[in-house]
Amino acid sequence: HLLRLNPAQATTHFNLAIVYRETKQPGAALKAINKALLLDTANGLFYQFRAALYNDLGQPNNATKDLAQAAAIEALPER
């Protein structure tokens, strides 16, 4: 229901990704977190979550890249 109300809300997609991961639906979780990242590329938490998801999926190289991206974002000065 929330996505129908506001499909451009990155946080809604992130929350959906969490639900999918918790319910053992990694493909749907990856799709949702990717949408969140399309809408907000400057959110380090989204990259951290996707790194954990990639780790769940046995993709450590992708996880490492996302953790590096999250660290780079966190190192930026406040906007």
Side-chain angles (χ1 to χ4, degrees), residues 2-48:
L2 289 175
L3 283 176
R4 277 188 266 147
L5 294 174
N6 195 354
Q9 180 70 30
T11 305
T12 302
H13 291 279
F14 174 64
N15 290 334
L16 187 58
I18 292 170
V19 170
Y20 283 138
R21 184 177 183 220
E22 292 291 320
T23 58
K24 309 290 189 229
Q25 299 177 67
L30 187 58
K31 184 177 177 181
I33 194 62
N34 286 341
K35 180 66 175 177
L37 280 163
L38 282 173
L39 295 168
D40 184 0
T41 60
N43 191 315
L45 181 61
F46 294 175
Y47 284 101
Q48 290 174 7

Side-chain angles (χ1 to χ4, degrees), residues 21 26-27 30 49-64:
R21 184 177 183 220
L30 187 58
F49 179 86
R50 191 170 70 175
L53 187 56
Y54 278 140
N55 211 32
D56 293 347
L57 294 168
Q59 298 179 26
N61 291 338
N62 287 333
T64 300

